[in-house]
Coordinates of all heavy atoms in Angstrom, one line a residue:
M1 N -24.5 -9.1 -5.4 CA -23.6 -8.2 -6.1 C -22.6 -9.0 -6.9 O -22.0 -9.9 -6.4 CB -22.9 -7.2 -5.1 CG -22.2 -6.1 -5.7 SD -21.8 -4.9 -4.4 CE -21.3 -3.6 -5.5
D2 N -22.3 -8.5 -8.1 CA -21.4 -9.2 -9.0 C -20.0 -9.0 -8.5 O -19.5 -7.9 -8.2 CB -21.6 -8.6 -10.4 CG -20.9 -9.5 -11.4 OD1 -20.7 -10.7 -11.2 OD2 -20.5 -8.9 -12.5
P3 N -19.2 -10.1 -8.4 CA -17.8 -10.0 -8.0 C -16.9 -9.2 -8.9 O -15.9 -8.6 -8.5 CB -17.3 -11.4 -7.9 CG -18.5 -12.3 -7.9 CD -19.6 -11.5 -8.6
I4 N -17.3 -9.0 -10.2 CA -16.4 -8.2 -11.1 C -16.5 -6.7 -10.7 O -15.5 -6.0 -11.0 CB -16.9 -8.5 -12.5 CG1 -15.8 -8.1 -13.5 CG2 -18.2 -7.7 -12.9 CD1 -14.6 -9.0 -13.5
S5 N -17.5 -6.3 -10.0 CA -17.5 -4.9 -9.6 C -16.5 -4.6 -8.5 O -15.9 -3.5 -8.4 CB -18.9 -4.5 -9.1 OG -19.3 -5.3 -8.0
F6 N -16.2 -5.7 -7.7 CA -15.1 -5.5 -6.8 C -13.7 -5.4 -7.4 O -12.8 -4.8 -6.9 CB -15.1 -6.7 -5.8 CG -16.3 -6.7 -4.9 CD1 -17.3 -7.6 -5.0 CD2 -16.4 -5.7 -3.9 CE1 -18.3 -7.6 -4.1 CE2 -17.5 -5.6 -3.1 CZ -18.5 -6.6 -3.2
V7 N -13.6 -6.1 -8.6 CA -12.3 -6.0 -9.4 C -12.2 -4.5 -9.9 O -11.1 -4.0 -9.9 CB -12.3 -7.0 -10.5 CG1 -11.1 -6.8 -11.4 CG2 -12.4 -8.4 -10.0
Y8 N -13.3 -4.0 -10.4 CA -13.2 -2.6 -10.8 C -12.9 -1.6 -9.6 O -12.1 -0.7 -9.8 CB -14.6 -2.1 -11.4 CG -14.9 -2.8 -12.7 CD1 -16.1 -3.3 -13.0 CD2 -13.9 -3.1 -13.7 CE1 -16.4 -4.0 -14.2 CE2 -14.1 -3.7 -14.9 CZ -15.4 -4.2 -15.1 OH -15.7 -4.8 -16.3
L9 N -13.5 -1.9 -8.5 CA -13.2 -1.1 -7.3 C -11.7 -1.2 -6.9 O -11.1 -0.2 -6.6 CB -14.1 -1.5 -6.1 CG -13.8 -0.8 -4.8 CD1 -14.1 0.7 -4.9 CD2 -14.6 -1.4 -3.7
A10 N -11.2 -2.4 -7.0 CA -9.7 -2.6 -6.7 C -8.9 -1.8 -7.7 O -7.8 -1.3 -7.3 CB -9.4 -4.1 -6.8
A11 N -9.3 -1.8 -8.9 CA -8.5 -1.0 -9.9 C -8.5 0.5 -9.6 O -7.5 1.1 -9.7 CB -9.0 -1.3 -11.3
V12 N -9.6 1.0 -9.2 CA -9.7 2.4 -8.9 C -8.9 2.7 -7.6 O -8.2 3.7 -7.5 CB -11.2 2.8 -8.6 CG1 -11.3 4.2 -8.0 CG2 -12.0 2.7 -10.0
L13 N -9.0 1.8 -6.6 CA -8.2 2.0 -5.4 C -6.7 1.9 -5.7 O -5.9 2.7 -5.1 CB -8.6 1.0 -4.3 CG -10.0 1.1 -3.7 CD1 -10.2 0.0 -2.7 CD2 -10.1 2.4 -2.9
F14 N -6.3 1.0 -6.5 CA -4.9 0.9 -6.9 C -4.4 2.2 -7.6 O -3.3 2.7 -7.4 CB -4.6 -0.3 -7.8 CG -3.2 -0.6 -7.9 CD1 -2.6 -1.4 -7.0 CD2 -2.4 -0.1 -9.0 CE1 -1.2 -1.7 -7.1 CE2 -1.1 -0.4 -9.1 CZ -0.5 -1.2 -8.1
A15 N -5.3 2.7 -8.5 CA -4.9 4.0 -9.2 C -4.8 5.1 -8.3 O -3.9 6.0 -8.4 CB -6.0 4.2 -10.3
I16 N -5.7 5.2 -7.3 CA -5.6 6.3 -6.3 C -4.3 6.2 -5.4 O -3.6 7.1 -5.2 CB -6.9 6.3 -5.4 CG1 -8.1 6.7 -6.2 CG2 -6.7 7.3 -4.2 CD1 -9.4 6.5 -5.5
G17 N -4.0 4.9 -5.0 CA -2.8 4.7 -4.3 C -1.5 5.0 -5.0 O -0.6 5.6 -4.5
S18 N -1.5 4.6 -6.3 CA -0.3 4.9 -7.1 C -0.2 6.4 -7.4 O 0.9 7.0 -7.4 CB -0.3 4.1 -8.4 OG -1.4 4.5 -9.2
A19 N -1.3 7.1 -7.5 CA -1.2 8.6 -7.7 C -0.7 9.2 -6.5 O 0.0 10.2 -6.5 CB -2.6 9.1 -8.1
A20 N -1.1 8.7 -5.3 CA -0.6 9.3 -4.0 C 0.9 9.1 -3.9 O 1.6 10.0 -3.4 CB -1.4 8.7 -2.9
V21 N 1.4 7.9 -4.3 CA 2.8 7.6 -4.2 C 3.6 8.5 -5.1 O 4.7 9.0 -4.8 CB 3.1 6.1 -4.4 CG1 4.6 5.9 -4.6 CG2 2.5 5.3 -3.3
L22 N 3.1 8.7 -6.3 CA 3.9 9.4 -7.4 C 3.8 10.9 -7.2 O 4.7 11.6 -7.7 CB 3.4 9.0 -8.7 CG 3.6 7.5 -9.1 CD1 3.0 7.2 -10.5 CD2 5.1 7.3 -9.2
T23 N 2.7 11.5 -6.6 CA 2.6 12.9 -6.6 C 2.9 13.6 -5.3 O 3.3 14.7 -5.3 CB 1.2 13.3 -7.0 OG1 0.3 12.7 -6.1 CG2 0.8 12.9 -8.4
R24 N 2.8 12.9 -4.2 CA 3.0 13.5 -2.9 C 4.5 13.4 -2.5 O 5.2 12.5 -2.8 CB 2.1 12.8 -1.8 CG 0.7 12.9 -2.2 CD 0.2 14.3 -2.1 NE -1.2 14.3 -2.5 CZ -1.9 15.4 -2.4 NH1 -1.4 16.6 -2.1 NH2 -3.2 15.4 -2.7
R25 N 4.9 14.5 -1.7 CA 6.3 14.5 -1.2 C 6.3 14.2 0.3 O 7.4 14.2 0.8 CB 6.9 15.9 -1.5 CG 7.1 16.1 -2.9 CD 8.2 15.2 -3.4 NE 8.1 15.1 -4.8 CZ 8.6 14.0 -5.5 NH1 9.2 13.0 -4.8 NH2 8.5 13.9 -6.8
N26 N 5.2 14.0 0.9 CA 5.1 13.7 2.3 C 5.2 12.2 2.4 O 4.5 11.4 1.8 CB 3.8 14.2 2.9 CG 3.7 14.1 4.4 OD1 4.5 13.4 5.0 ND2 2.7 14.7 4.9
A27 N 6.1 11.8 3.3 CA 6.4 10.3 3.5 C 5.2 9.6 4.0 O 4.9 8.4 3.6 CB 7.6 10.1 4.4
I28 N 4.4 10.2 4.9 CA 3.3 9.5 5.5 C 2.2 9.3 4.4 O 1.6 8.2 4.3 CB 2.7 10.3 6.7 CG1 3.8 10.5 7.8 CG2 1.4 9.7 7.2 CD1 4.1 9.2 8.5
V29 N 2.0 10.3 3.6 CA 0.9 10.2 2.5 C 1.4 9.1 1.5 O 0.6 8.3 1.0 CB 0.7 11.5 1.9 CG1 -0.3 11.4 0.7 CG2 0.1 12.5 2.9
A30 N 2.7 9.1 1.1 CA 3.2 8.1 0.2 C 3.1 6.7 0.8 O 2.7 5.8 0.1 CB 4.6 8.4 -0.2
F31 N 3.3 6.6 2.1 CA 3.2 5.4 2.8 C 1.8 4.9 2.8 O 1.5 3.7 2.6 CB 3.7 5.6 4.2 CG 4.0 4.3 5.0 CD1 4.9 3.4 4.5 CD2 3.3 4.0 6.1 CE1 5.2 2.2 5.2 CE2 3.5 2.9 6.8 CZ 4.5 2.0 6.4
M32 N 0.8 5.8 3.0 CA -0.6 5.4 3.0 C -1.0 5.0 1.6 O -1.9 4.1 1.4 CB -1.5 6.6 3.5 CG -1.4 6.8 4.9 SD -2.2 8.2 5.7 CE -3.4 8.7 4.5
G33 N -0.4 5.6 0.5 CA -0.7 5.2 -0.8 C -0.2 3.8 -1.1 O -0.9 3.0 -1.8
V34 N 0.9 3.4 -0.5 CA 1.4 2.0 -0.7 C 0.5 1.0 0.0 O 0.2 0.0 -0.5 CB 2.9 1.9 -0.1 CG1 3.3 0.4 0.0 CG2 3.8 2.7 -1.0
E35 N 0.0 1.4 1.2 CA -1.0 0.6 1.9 C -2.3 0.4 1.1 O -2.9 -0.6 1.1 CB -1.2 1.1 3.3 CG 0.0 1.0 4.2 CD 0.4 -0.4 4.5 OE1 -0.5 -1.3 4.6 OE2 1.6 -0.7 4.5
L36 N -2.7 1.5 0.5 CA -3.9 1.5 -0.3 C -3.7 0.5 -1.5 O -4.6 -0.2 -1.9 CB -4.3 2.9 -0.8 CG -5.7 3.0 -1.4 CD1 -6.7 2.7 -0.4 CD2 -5.8 4.5 -1.9
M37 N -2.5 0.5 -2.1 CA -2.3 -0.4 -3.2 C -2.3 -1.8 -2.8 O -2.7 -2.7 -3.5 CB -1.0 0.0 -3.9 CG -1.0 1.3 -4.7 SD 0.4 1.7 -5.7 CE 1.7 1.6 -4.6
L38 N -1.7 -2.1 -1.6 CA -1.7 -3.4 -1.1 C -3.1 -3.9 -0.8 O -3.5 -5.1 -1.0 CB -0.8 -3.5 0.2 CG 0.7 -3.5 0.0 CD1 1.4 -3.4 1.3 CD2 1.1 -4.8 -0.7
N39 N -3.9 -3.0 -0.2 CA -5.3 -3.4 0.0 C -6.1 -3.6 -1.3 O -7.0 -4.5 -1.3 CB -6.0 -2.4 0.9 CG -5.5 -2.5 2.3 OD1 -5.2 -3.5 2.8 ND2 -5.5 -1.3 3.0
A40 N -5.8 -2.9 -2.3 CA -6.4 -3.1 -3.6 C -6.0 -4.5 -4.2 O -6.9 -5.2 -4.8 CB -6.1 -2.0 -4.6
A41 N -4.8 -4.8 -4.0 CA -4.3 -6.1 -4.5 C -5.0 -7.2 -3.7 O -5.4 -8.3 -4.3 CB -2.8 -6.3 -4.3
N42 N -5.2 -7.0 -2.4 CA -6.0 -8.0 -1.6 C -7.4 -8.1 -2.1 O -8.0 -9.2 -2.2 CB -6.0 -7.6 -0.1 CG -4.7 -8.0 0.6 OD1 -3.9 -8.8 0.1 ND2 -4.4 -7.3 1.7
L43 N -8.0 -7.0 -2.4 CA -9.4 -7.0 -2.8 C -9.5 -7.8 -4.2 O -10.5 -8.6 -4.4 CB -10.0 -5.6 -2.9 CG -11.4 -5.5 -3.4 CD1 -12.3 -6.2 -2.4 CD2 -11.8 -4.0 -3.5
S44 N -8.6 -7.6 -5.0 CA -8.6 -8.3 -6.3 C -8.4 -9.8 -6.1 O -9.0 -10.6 -6.8 CB -7.6 -7.7 -7.3 OG -6.3 -7.8 -6.9
L45 N -7.5 -10.1 -5.2 CA -7.2 -11.5 -5.0 C -8.5 -12.2 -4.4 O -8.8 -13.3 -4.9 CB -6.1 -11.7 -4.0 CG -4.7 -11.5 -4.5 CD1 -3.7 -11.5 -3.3 CD2 -4.3 -12.6 -5.5
V46 N -9.1 -11.6 -3.5 CA -10.3 -12.2 -3.0 C -11.5 -12.2 -4.0 O -12.2 -13.2 -4.1 CB -10.8 -11.5 -1.7 CG1 -12.1 -11.9 -1.2 CG2 -9.7 -11.7 -0.6
S47 N -11.5 -11.2 -4.8 CA -12.6 -11.2 -5.8 C -12.4 -12.3 -6.9 O -13.3 -13.0 -7.2 CB -12.6 -9.8 -6.6 OG -12.9 -8.8 -5.7
F48 N -11.1 -12.4 -7.3 CA -10.9 -13.5 -8.3 C -11.1 -14.9 -7.7 O -11.5 -15.8 -8.3 CB -9.5 -13.4 -8.9 CG -9.4 -12.3 -9.9 CD1 -8.5 -11.3 -9.8 CD2 -10.3 -12.3 -11.0 CE1 -8.4 -10.3 -10.8 CE2 -10.2 -11.3 -12.0 CZ -9.3 -10.3 -11.9
S49 N -10.8 -15.0 -6.4 CA -11.0 -16.2 -5.7 C -12.5 -16.6 -5.6 O -12.9 -17.7 -5.8 CB -10.4 -16.1 -4.3 OG -10.7 -17.3 -3.5
R50 N -13.3 -15.5 -5.4 CA -14.7 -15.7 -5.4 C -15.3 -16.1 -6.7 O -16.2 -16.9 -6.8 CB -15.4 -14.4 -4.8 CG -16.8 -14.4 -4.9 CD -17.4 -15.0 -3.7 NE -18.9 -14.8 -3.7 CZ -19.7 -15.2 -2.9 NH1 -19.2 -15.9 -1.9 NH2 -20.9 -15.0 -3.0
I51 N -14.7 -15.4 -7.8 CA -15.2 -15.7 -9.1 C -14.9 -17.2 -9.5 O -15.8 -17.9 -10.1 CB -14.5 -14.7 -10.1 CG1 -15.1 -13.3 -10.0 CG2 -14.7 -15.2 -11.6 CD1 -14.4 -12.3 -10.7
H52 N -13.7 -17.7 -9.2 CA -13.3 -19.0 -9.6 C -13.8 -20.1 -8.6 O -13.6 -21.3 -8.8 CB -11.8 -19.1 -9.8 CG -11.4 -18.3 -10.9 ND1 -11.7 -18.6 -12.2 CD2 -10.6 -17.2 -11.0 CE1 -11.2 -17.7 -13.1 NE2 -10.5 -16.8 -12.3
G53 N -14.3 -19.7 -7.4 CA -14.8 -20.6 -6.4 C -13.7 -21.4 -5.7 O -14.0 -22.5 -5.2
E54 N -12.6 -20.8 -5.6 CA -11.5 -21.5 -4.8 C -11.0 -20.6 -3.7 O -11.3 -19.4 -3.7 CB -10.3 -21.9 -5.7 CG -10.8 -22.9 -6.8 CD -9.6 -23.4 -7.6 OE1 -8.4 -23.1 -7.2 OE2 -9.8 -23.9 -8.7
V55 N -10.2 -21.1 -2.8 CA -9.8 -20.3 -1.6 C -8.3 -19.9 -1.8 O -7.8 -19.3 -0.9 CB -10.0 -21.0 -0.3 CG1 -11.4 -21.3 0.0 CG2 -9.2 -22.3 -0.3
D56 N -7.7 -20.2 -2.9 CA -6.3 -19.8 -3.1 C -6.0 -18.3 -3.0 O -5.0 -17.9 -2.4 CB -5.8 -20.3 -4.4 CG -5.8 -21.8 -4.5 OD1 -5.8 -22.5 -3.5 OD2 -5.8 -22.4 -5.7
G57 N -6.9 -17.5 -3.6 CA -6.8 -16.1 -3.5 C -6.9 -15.5 -2.1 O -6.2 -14.6 -1.7
Q58 N -7.8 -16.1 -1.3 CA -8.0 -15.7 0.0 C -6.8 -16.0 0.9 O -6.4 -15.2 1.8 CB -9.2 -16.3 0.6 CG -10.5 -15.9 -0.1 CD -11.7 -16.6 0.4 OE1 -11.6 -17.4 1.3 NE2 -12.8 -16.3 -0.3
V59 N -6.1 -17.1 0.6 CA -4.9 -17.5 1.4 C -3.8 -16.5 1.0 O -3.0 -16.1 1.9 CB -4.5 -19.0 1.1 CG1 -3.1 -19.3 1.6 CG2 -5.6 -19.9 1.6
M60 N -3.7 -16.2 -0.3 CA -2.6 -15.3 -0.7 C -2.9 -13.9 -0.1 O -2.0 -13.2 0.3 CB -2.6 -15.2 -2.2 CG -2.0 -16.4 -2.9 SD -0.3 -16.7 -2.4 CE 0.5 -15.3 -3.0
A61 N -4.2 -13.5 0.0 CA -4.5 -12.2 0.6 C -4.1 -12.2 2.1 O -3.6 -11.1 2.6 CB -6.0 -11.9 0.4
F62 N -4.2 -13.3 2.7 CA -3.8 -13.4 4.1 C -2.3 -13.1 4.2 O -1.8 -12.4 5.1 CB -4.2 -14.7 4.7 CG -3.7 -14.9 6.1 CD1 -4.3 -14.2 7.2 CD2 -2.6 -15.7 6.4 CE1 -3.8 -14.4 8.5 CE2 -2.2 -15.9 7.7 CZ -2.8 -15.2 8.7
F63 N -1.5 -13.8 3.3 CA -0.1 -13.6 3.4 C 0.3 -12.1 3.0 O 1.3 -11.6 3.6 CB 0.6 -14.6 2.4 CG 0.7 -16.0 3.0 CD1 0.1 -17.0 2.3 CD2 1.3 -16.2 4.2 CE1 0.1 -18.3 2.8 CE2 1.3 -17.5 4.7 CZ 0.7 -18.5 4.0
V64 N -0.4 -11.5 2.1 CA -0.2 -10.1 1.8 C -0.4 -9.2 3.0 O 0.3 -8.3 3.3 CB -1.0 -9.7 0.6 CG1 -0.9 -8.2 0.3 CG2 -0.5 -10.4 -0.7
M65 N -1.5 -9.5 3.8 CA -1.8 -8.8 5.0 C -0.6 -8.9 6.0 O -0.3 -8.0 6.7 CB -3.1 -9.2 5.6 CG -4.3 -8.7 4.8 SD -5.8 -8.9 5.7 CE -6.1 -10.6 5.5
V66 N -0.1 -10.1 6.1 CA 1.0 -10.3 7.0 C 2.3 -9.5 6.6 O 2.9 -8.8 7.4 CB 1.4 -11.8 7.1 CG1 2.7 -12.0 7.9 CG2 0.2 -12.6 7.8
V67 N 2.6 -9.5 5.3 CA 3.7 -8.7 4.8 C 3.4 -7.2 5.0 O 4.3 -6.5 5.3 CB 4.0 -9.1 3.3 CG1 5.0 -8.1 2.7 CG2 4.5 -10.5 3.2
A68 N 2.2 -6.8 4.8 CA 1.8 -5.4 4.9 C 2.0 -5.0 6.4 O 2.4 -3.8 6.7 CB 0.4 -5.1 4.5
A69 N 1.7 -5.8 7.3 CA 1.8 -5.5 8.7 C 3.3 -5.3 9.1 O 3.7 -4.4 9.8 CB 1.2 -6.6 9.6
A70 N 4.1 -6.2 8.6 CA 5.6 -6.1 8.8 C 6.1 -4.8 8.1 O 7.0 -4.2 8.7 CB 6.3 -7.3 8.3
E71 N 5.6 -4.5 7.0 CA 6.1 -3.3 6.3 C 5.7 -2.1 7.0 O 6.4 -1.1 7.0 CB 5.4 -3.3 4.9 CG 5.9 -2.2 4.0 CD 4.7 -1.3 3.6 OE1 3.5 -1.7 3.7 OE2 5.0 -0.2 3.1
V72 N 4.5 -2.1 7.7 CA 4.1 -0.9 8.5 C 5.1 -0.7 9.6 O 5.5 0.5 9.9 CB 2.7 -1.1 9.0 CG1 2.3 -0.1 10.1 CG2 1.7 -1.0 7.8
V73 N 5.5 -1.7 10.3 CA 6.4 -1.6 11.4 C 7.7 -1.0 11.0 O 8.2 -0.1 11.5 CB 6.5 -3.0 12.1 CG1 7.6 -2.9 13.2 CG2 5.2 -3.4 12.7
V74 N 8.3 -1.6 9.9 CA 9.6 -1.2 9.4 C 9.5 0.2 8.8 O 10.4 1.1 9.1 CB 10.2 -2.2 8.4 CG1 11.4 -1.7 7.8 CG2 10.4 -3.5 9.1
G75 N 8.5 0.5 8.0 CA 8.4 1.8 7.4 C 8.2 2.9 8.3 O 8.8 4.0 8.2
L76 N 7.3 2.7 9.3 CA 7.1 3.8 10.3 C 8.4 4.0 11.1 O 8.6 5.2 11.5 CB 5.9 3.5 11.2 CG 4.5 3.7 10.5 CD1 3.4 3.3 11.5 CD2 4.4 5.1 10.1
A77 N 9.1 3.0 11.4 CA 10.4 3.1 12.2 C 11.4 4.0 11.4 O 12.0 4.8 11.9 CB 10.9 1.8 12.5
I78 N 11.4 3.7 10.1 CA 12.3 4.5 9.2 C 11.9 5.9 9.1 O 12.7 6.9 9.2 CB 12.4 3.9 7.8 CG1 13.2 2.5 7.9 CG2 13.1 4.8 6.8 CD1 13.2 1.7 6.6
I79 N 10.6 6.2 9.0 CA 10.1 7.5 8.9 C 10.3 8.3 10.2 O 10.7 9.4 10.2 CB 8.5 7.5 8.6 CG1 8.4 7.0 7.1 CG2 7.9 8.9 8.8 CD1 6.9 6.8 6.7
I80 N 10.1 7.6 11.3 CA 10.4 8.3 12.6 C 11.9 8.6 12.8 O 12.2 9.7 13.3 CB 9.8 7.4 13.8 CG1 8.3 7.5 13.7 CG2 10.3 7.9 15.1 CD1 7.7 6.5 14.7
A81 N 12.7 7.7 12.4 CA 14.2 7.9 12.5 C 14.6 9.1 11.6 O 15.4 9.9 12.0 CB 14.9 6.7 12.1
V82 N 14.1 9.2 10.4 CA 14.4 10.3 9.5 C 13.9 11.6 10.1 O 14.5 12.6 10.1 CB 13.9 10.1 8.1 CG1 14.0 11.3 7.3 CG2 14.6 8.9 7.4
F83 N 12.6 11.6 10.7 CA 12.1 12.8 11.3 C 12.9 13.2 12.5 O 13.1 14.5 12.6 CB 10.6 12.5 11.7 CG 10.0 13.7 12.3 CD1 9.6 14.8 11.5 CD2 9.8 13.8 13.7 CE1 9.0 15.9 12.1 CE2 9.2 14.9 14.3 CZ 8.8 16.0 13.5
R84 N 13.4 12.3 13.3 CA 14.2 12.7 14.4 C 15.5 13.4 14.0 O 16.0 14.3 14.7 CB 14.4 11.5 15.3 CG 13.2 11.1 16.1 CD 13.5 10.0 17.1 NE 12.3 9.6 17.8 CZ 12.3 8.6 18.6 NH1 13.4 7.9 18.8 NH2 11.2 8.4 19.3
T85 N 16.1 12.9 12.9 CA 17.4 13.5 12.5 C 17.2 14.8 11.7 O 18.0 15.7 11.8 CB 18.2 12.5 11.8 OG1 17.5 12.1 10.6 CG2 18.5 11.3 12.6
R86 N 16.2 14.8 10.9 CA 16.0 16.0 9.9 C 14.9 16.9 10.3 O 14.7 17.9 9.6 CB 15.8 15.4 8.5 CG 16.9 14.7 7.9 CD 17.9 15.8 7.5 NE 19.1 15.1 7.0 CZ 20.2 15.8 6.8 NH1 20.2 17.1 7.0 NH2 21.3 15.2 6.4
Q87 N 14.0 16.6 11.2 CA 12.8 17.4 11.6 C 11.9 17.6 10.4 O 11.2 18.7 10.4 CB 13.3 18.7 12.2 CG 14.1 18.5 13.5 CD 13.3 17.8 14.6 OE1 12.1 18.1 14.8 NE2 13.9 16.9 15.3
S88 N 11.9 16.7 9.5 CA 11.0 16.8 8.3 C 10.7 15.4 7.8 O 11.6 14.5 7.9 CB 11.6 17.7 7.3 OG 10.8 17.6 6.1
I89 N 9.6 15.2 7.2 CA 9.3 13.9 6.6 C 9.1 14.0 5.1 O 8.4 13.3 4.5 CB 8.0 13.3 7.2 CG1 6.8 14.2 7.2 CG2 8.3 12.8 8.6 CD1 5.5 13.5 7.7
S90 N 9.7 15.0 4.5 CA 9.7 15.2 3.1 C 10.5 14.2 2.4 O 11.6 13.8 2.9 CB 10.2 16.6 2.7 OG 10.3 16.7 1.3
L91 N 10.1 13.6 1.3 CA 10.8 12.6 0.6 C 12.0 13.1 -0.2 O 12.8 12.4 -0.6 CB 9.9 11.9 -0.4 CG 8.8 11.0 0.3 CD1 7.9 10.4 -0.7 CD2 9.4 9.9 1.2
D92 N 12.1 14.5 -0.4 CA 13.2 15.1 -1.1 C 14.4 15.2 -0.3 O 15.5 15.1 -0.8 CB 12.8 16.4 -1.6 CG 11.7 16.4 -2.7 OD1 11.6 15.4 -3.4 OD2 10.9 17.4 -2.8
E93 N 14.3 15.3 1.0 CA 15.5 15.5 1.8 C 16.4 14.3 1.9 O 17.6 14.5 1.9 CB 15.1 16.0 3.2 CG 14.6 17.4 3.2 CD 14.4 18.0 4.6 OE1 14.9 17.4 5.5 OE2 13.6 19.0 4.7
P94 N 16.0 13.1 2.1 CA 16.9 11.9 2.1 C 17.6 11.8 0.8 O 18.8 11.3 0.7 CB 16.0 10.7 2.4 CG 14.9 11.3 3.1 CD 14.6 12.6 2.5
A95 N 17.0 12.2 -0.3 CA 17.7 12.1 -1.6 C 18.9 13.1 -1.7 O 19.9 12.9 -2.4 CB 16.7 12.4 -2.8
E96 N 18.8 14.2 -0.9 CA 19.8 15.2 -0.9 C 21.0 14.7 -0.1 O 22.1 15.3 -0.2 CB 19.3 16.5 -0.3 CG 18.3 17.2 -1.2 CD 17.7 18.4 -0.5 OE1 18.0 18.7 0.7 OE2 16.8 19.0 -1.1
L97 N 20.9 13.7 0.7 CA 22.0 13.2 1.5 C 23.0 12.5 0.7 O 24.2 12.3 1.1 CB 21.4 12.2 2.6 CG 20.6 12.9 3.7 CD1 20.0 11.8 4.6 CD2 21.4 13.9 4.5
R98 N 22.7 12.0 -0.5 CA 23.6 11.3 -1.3 C 24.8 12.1 -1.8 O 25.8 11.7 -2.1 CB 22.9 10.7 -2.6 CG 22.0 9.5 -2.2 CD 21.5 8.9 -3.4 NE 20.3 9.6 -3.8 CZ 19.5 9.3 -4.7 NH1 19.7 8.2 -5.4 NH2 18.4 9.9 -5.0
G99 N 24.5 13.4 -2.0 CA 25.7 14.3 -2.3 C 25.8 14.7 -3.7 O 25.5 14.5 -4.7

């Protein structure tokens, strides 16, 4: 299979993730959209690494996965804290706290 098809797949996945972040008001769905965009970036890094025959993209994808794992821990903690105080995970309600 041609590695350029994986680049096209990464572009489609990134578009779906960005659409989820921009259109949804649920924090969990927006969070999943961010994770989908990070995975699309990983796929494109590995694809370009495969095209050029070097491992630099694969190493960078590993670091992106580490950052994504840390982001999941912090992001879910924030979402749970907001849910416990507001009993909702809507993204509009924390914006109303500013006054």
Side-chain angles (χ1 to χ4, degrees):
M1 192 166 190
D2 190 25
I4 199 71
S5 60
F6 292 113
V7 175
Y8 293 138
L9 177 64
V12 170
L13 289 176
F14 193 87
I16 292 170
S18 63
V21 169
L22 294 175
T23 60
R24 301 295 179 175
R25 291 291 156 206
N26 188 346
I28 299 291
V29 175
F31 194 62
M32 287 176 17
V34 169
E35 291 298 320
L36 191 61
M37 290 189 304
L38 284 172
N39 286 327
N42 281 340
L43 182 60
S44 65
L45 283 170
V46 172
S47 298
F48 284 124
S49 175
R50 173 86 175 176
I51 289 170
H52 294 294
E54 297 186 15
V55 296
D56 296 339
Q58 295 173 6
V59 172
M60 289 300 295
F62 177 73
F63 285 120
V64 171
M65 285 190 286
V66 170
V67 169
E71 182 240 346
V72 166
V73 171
V74 173
L76 284 177
I78 291 171
I79 290 171
I80 290 171
V82 168
F83 179 75
R84 285 184 180 174
T85 59
R86 293 283 173 191
Q87 298 298 318
S88 174
I89 54 174
S90 175
L91 293 176
D92 291 332
E93 289 188 18
E96 294 173 0
L97 294 176
R98 284 188 277 188

